[in-house]
Amino acid sequence: MSEHELVTRLRNGERRALARAISLVEHGGPAARAVMAAAYPYAHAHRVGITGPPGAGKSTLVTSLAQEWRRRGVPVGIVAVDPSSPFSGGAVLGDRIRMQALGGDPGVFIRSMASRGRMGGLARATADAVSLIAAAGFPIVFIETVGAGQDEVDIAQTADTTIVVEVPGMGDDVQSIKAGMLEIADIFVVNKADRPGVDQTVRQLRTMLQLGGAPADGWSPPVLTAVATTGEGCAQIVDVVEQHRQHLANDGAQAGRMRALAERELAAAVQELILERLRGPRWEELVGEIASRRRDPYAAASELLDG
């Protein structure tokens, strides 16, 4: 089928068409660009990013939050980015296994993606996949990162609301400061709040937020607690996400975020197209010259770009 027909079908609720479209954008190329051109005008959704250290229970929290939104009658899309092998490029995609409770719900769409070695915890095609899911009629789309720690700040440039998940008793009380998590979080969630030390973790996070000064956008990130395995606290988190969405709309900050995302997407598209057009026989020759130290990478890049 043509790319426009594929987008028409995914907009009519055909899951297979949506899955096929996401596969196309993961592979890239002209077909992927045609799909995105047809779907992009309809890609309206609130993107909720979930990040935090490994073992924080991000997948379980996403599952419980999705179930809460479903109880409110809201369709939910999920993009779960798993770390990929540095050797094969493949990934276990274990997040999908942990989200099996959502598998039978027609109002939930889950797509696992490998990070493909990208720093920042996001695959190259993540933003495109989110746009396609939004175009398919899912007003809430989760983006769960790989949980790599200090490099996971890309999510703040992709999501409308970024949730940073922490857990008590992991011995990384200053991780948020080292990772810049204070700057990217719109909401903090201390998961596994049935563990000892939760009050101390909440107190430390609130103290660090106070030390950071008043937020420039007028939104003070709340520190919430949850037990994702039982769903405790998830209704309050959903309420606060909705409050943050309303804050963005009323404050005018949403327009600024959308412009920043547009600039990021444009830069990524330019980079991809340039690499695609420049790869050829001369590219391979220059790679050999750089490897043998007969030419430096900047001079080689200038030659390619100058034609």
Side-chain angles (χ1 to χ4, degrees), residues 62-259:
V62 168
T63 300
S64 294
L65 292 176
Q67 289 173 328
E68 177 61 31
W69 254 297
R70 292 298 297 130
R71 281 190 285 270
R72 304 182 186 198
V74 180
V76 175
I78 300 170
V79 177
V81 185
D82 272 339
S84 57
S85 166
F87 305 104
S88 67
V92 175
L93 304 181
D95 288 333
R96 195 161 189 169
I97 298 173
R98 290 187 285 270
M99 295 179 186
Q100 285 183 348
L102 301 171
D105 189 338
V108 177
F109 180 87
I110 304 172
R111 180 68 177 220
S112 297
M113 303 179 73
S115 63
R116 310 292 186 191
R118 271 291 300 273
M119 298 292 282
L122 297 182
R124 177 192 57 80
T126 298
D128 289 346
V130 171
S131 294
L132 290 171
I133 294 172
F138 294 89
I140 296 291
V141 182
F142 286 101
I143 310 164
E144 181 196 342
T145 68
V146 299
Q150 296 184 24
D151 296 315
E152 298 213 5
V153 295
D154 276 4
I155 188 64
Q157 298 173 308
T158 304
D160 300 303
T161 298
T162 301
I163 299 176
V164 173
V165 185
E166 299 282 353
V167 288
M170 289 191 69
D172 57 353
D173 296 338
V174 296
Q175 181 71 14
S176 294
I177 293 178
K178 292 194 302 180
M181 292 297 186
L182 289 176
E183 287 77 15
I184 72 169
D186 297 305
I187 301 169
F188 279 100
V189 173
V190 180
N191 191 26
K192 305 182 182 181
D194 51 349
R195 287 185 175 183
V198 61
D199 292 337
Q200 179 182 358
T201 302
V202 170
R203 191 162 51 249
Q204 288 174 337
L205 284 171
R206 288 175 176 165
T207 299
M208 288 189 288
L209 287 169
Q210 291 174 355
L211 292 174
D217 63 355
W219 173 265
S220 298
V223 181
L224 309 176
T225 59
V227 182
T229 53
T230 65
E232 178 183 334
C234 289
Q236 183 184 11
I237 297 170
V238 169
D239 289 340
V240 173
V241 171
E242 294 293 347
Q243 291 170 15
H244 184 248
R245 172 156 58 169
Q246 192 62 46
H247 167 78
L248 292 176
N250 294 340
D251 188 59
Q254 183 68 5
R257 292 198 179 204
M258 291 301 295
R259 184 173 179 84

